[in-house]
Amino acid sequence: MKAPKSRTEREVTRDIVDYMELERKYRPNRLVAGPVWGKLGNRHAPQHTNPPGYPDWIFSKAGEIDWYMEIKAPGKRPAPLQLAWLEQ
């Protein structure tokens, strides 16, 4: 029997964003920190960036606490700098 295929970070992210937006009615905001890798493997720096390690997503809703999320594929862990931002 084949082991189930591990889900990608993109698949996990899509599920979380859909849930937070459609079910919980939060507004998703994708954040950018540091350089970004393009689909062709090229590295570029967006014009507006947050500090390295800053969470990938913020979910907000009027009158409620924002959620800051660093989303990873199953089995992957945030880097120490990412954990430091989330602890703040």
Side-chain angles (χ1 to χ4, degrees):
M1 179 181 265
K2 287 174 92 174
K5 179 184 169 238
S6 181
R7 298 181 70 218
T8 66
E9 185 172 318
R10 176 172 278 161
E11 292 168 333
V12 173
T13 298
R14 182 74 295 169
D15 287 348
I16 291 171
V17 170
D18 285 349
Y19 171 75
M20 292 297 285
E21 184 175 25
L22 302 174
E23 300 292 326
R24 301 287 307 274
K25 307 301 184 207
Y26 277 87
R27 180 176 172 226
N29 296 289
R30 175 70 166 103
L31 306 174
V32 177
V36 175
W37 292 94
K39 290 183 180 181
L40 301 175
N42 55 329
R43 184 174 183 230
H44 64 280
Q47 200 168 18
H48 303 285
T49 63
N50 291 301
Y54 204 75
D56 291 336
W57 291 88
I58 294 178
F59 297 89
S60 57
K61 181 173 17 176
E64 293 201 25
I65 297 173
D66 292 336
W67 289 81
Y68 294 81
M69 293 188 192
E70 179 66 40
I71 301 171
K72 298 292 182 196
K76 304 290 182 181
R77 301 185 76 47
L81 191 54
Q82 293 170 329
L83 290 173
W85 272 106
L86 291 171
E87 286 178 18
Q88 289 182 12

